Amino acid sequence: IKRIKEANDYRIKLGYGNCYRMVFAEADNLPALIVDRYNDVLVLQCLSLGIDMRKKLICDCLVKLFSPKGIYERSDVSVRKKEGLPEIKQVLYGEVPDYQEICENGIKMLVDIKNGQKTGYFLDQKENRFAIRKYCKGEVLDCFCNSGGFSLNAATVADSVTACDISELALKNVRDNAELNGFKNLTTICGDVFEVLRAFKKQKRQFNTVILDPPAFCKTADEVKDAYRGYKDINLNAMKIIKSGGFLVTCSCSHYMTSALFEKMLIEASRESGRIVRSVEVKSQAPDHPALLCAEETQYLKFFVLQVI
């Protein structure tokens, strides 16, 4: 209970309140435990046998400390199989709605707690989503948009935003979130981003800003080579469809794709694109996802803003 309280106190001290990562495993001295807060609902993820065995104790602590409306378990991750644990999703306490409304950067969002990716939403990009607003004038293309975190922040300043994802469920979430905020300048495309980018290039369709926030292309060291090719493919094609002076916002959430490797890939892509590309801003994950210096896998998110001339 002391460690959970200390973890939460750190976030409160930083000004987090409505939605944030309350517990980030090793970084909070609670290995293999993730707890995310979505307003008055908590989502818990147990990644090891040791933590899984203490699930009831952890829930009791969370109820005692925070009195949530509900606690939901999203332990539907393959890493659990290594310790003989099943993938599981379930209500652990109270009532949990299918969609939970949060407020992030002044924008209302409906989080798909039960079926959204990871624990329902990617809280680690919160500050980065706000940071893109200054780069999103004109026409914006948001690729791998998921539930629309980047799309909606872009829509606050852009003339038009096109949100693209392969999941129709995710795109429905984007449209619902746009409606919730009264945004009329957002449209969605359902498709494979690799193919969509090639189609736009063929059509000579251009955008002022392209955002690439893909899922992890490599989850093991063996997959790095293939992942490198995938990252290069989307970044190269994105650079080719950006109007002169426009911006590429590009991310990687795989810790196996190190910052040095990611930057090397971007340099290669820029050379092959035939464009002059400037690095404008480099960021990492939000402060509610602190990284341990002695555990490099906790420093995993790369976020680059590039200007394409």
Side-chain angles (χ1 to χ4, degrees):
I1 197 162
K2 181 174 176 283
R3 289 184 195 178
I4 292 172
K5 185 180 181 304
E6 285 172 353
N8 188 65
D9 287 349
Y10 160 72
R11 275 79 179 175
I12 299 302
K13 200 184 291 181
L14 293 179
Y16 290 100
N18 183 263
C19 53
Y20 58 93
R21 175 146 294 181
M22 183 184 282
V23 175
F24 187 37
E26 289 82 0
D28 286 303
N29 204 18
L30 288 159
L33 175 64
I34 302 289
V35 183
D36 283 342
R37 176 172 210 140
Y38 299 113
N39 208 336
D40 53 5
V41 170
L42 303 180
V43 177
L44 181 130
Q45 196 173 66
C46 303
L47 301 172
S48 74
L49 177 61
I51 283 292
D52 200 74
M53 288 167 68
R54 291 161 178 81
K55 197 156 45 187
K56 187 181 182 312
L57 172 65
I58 292 162
C59 270
D60 291 345
C61 291
L62 292 170
V63 171
K64 188 175 177 183
L65 284 168
F66 310 113
S67 306
K69 189 173 83 176
I71 300 175
Y72 195 72
E73 181 177 11
R74 281 297 304 268
S75 297
D76 50 331
V77 282
S78 58
V79 72
R80 283 169 56 91
K81 291 175 186 170
K82 292 183 177 180
E83 296 192 7
L85 294 168
E87 293 186 28
I88 193 165
K89 296 196 287 187
Q90 62 179 345
V91 176
L92 293 174
Y93 170 81
E95 293 176 12
V96 178
D98 291 344
Y99 286 87
Q100 173 74 347
E101 188 176 313
I102 61 169
C103 183
E104 181 189 82
N105 301 328
I107 294 171
K108 294 174 188 170
M109 297 285 294
L110 293 168
V111 174
D112 184 355
I113 283 176
K114 296 175 181 176
N115 296 305
Q117 291 190 35
K118 303 285 185 177
T119 63
Y121 188 58
F122 295 105
L123 293 165
D124 54 0
Q125 291 272 33
K126 182 178 184 173
E127 279 83 350
N128 297 342
R129 283 191 275 261
F130 187 76
I132 66 156
R133 295 185 186 195
K134 57 183 172 285
Y135 306 112
C136 287
K137 309 296 189 289
E139 290 181 277
V140 176
L141 173 64
D142 179 18
C143 300
F144 309 99
C145 65
N146 195 22
S147 51
F150 278 112
S151 300
L152 295 172
N153 276 275
T156 63
V157 292
D159 293 336
S160 68
V161 178
T162 304
C164 176
D165 202 279
I166 202 162
S167 163
E168 185 49 57
L169 181 68
L171 293 177
K172 182 190 180 302
N173 200 190
V174 175
R175 292 190 292 271
D176 290 345
N177 285 329
E179 193 179 329
L180 189 63
N181 290 277
F183 291 134
K184 301 277 196 281
N185 56 343
L186 197 153
T187 55
T188 61
I189 297 178
C190 188
D192 181 321
V193 168
F194 288 84
E195 292 169 11
V196 170
L197 288 171
R198 285 194 188 90
F200 281 145
K201 188 176 73 171
K202 202 172 178 184
Q203 295 160 16
K204 295 187 164 46
R205 174 87 192 274
Q206 291 197 309
F207 297 87
N208 299 91
T209 303
V210 175
I211 301 162
L212 300 174
D213 183 25
F217 284 172
C218 51
K219 294 184 178 176
T220 66
D222 297 339
E223 297 170 340
V224 169
K225 197 177 278 186
D226 286 341
Y228 190 95
R229 279 198 294 271
Y231 282 115
K232 187 175 169 184
D233 189 332
I234 57 172
N235 280 277
L236 174 57
N237 283 317
M239 287 173 187
K240 288 180 176 178
I241 62 167
I242 293 171
K243 293 176 184 176
S244 183
F247 297 96
L248 171 62
V249 177
T250 183
C251 316
S252 167
C253 61
S254 172
H255 82 266
Y256 290 103
M257 190 73 179
T258 62
S259 291
L261 205 54
F262 193 65
E263 200 162 351
K264 179 174 179 279
M265 175 277 300
L266 290 173
I267 290 166
E268 281 183 19
S270 67
R271 280 194 193 127
E272 289 180 32
S273 73
R275 310 288 296 271
I276 295 168
V277 181
R278 303 198 296 192
S279 180
V280 177
E281 192 170 354
V282 181
K283 292 161 76 72
S284 186
Q285 64 233 37
D288 60 341
H289 291 63
L292 278 181
L293 292 180
C294 61
E296 61 180 26
E297 64 273 15
T298 59
Q299 183 75 54
Y300 63 93
L301 186 67
K302 279 73 61 183
F303 173 92
F304 280 70
V305 179
L306 308 173
Q307 187 182 32
V308 182
I309 299 166

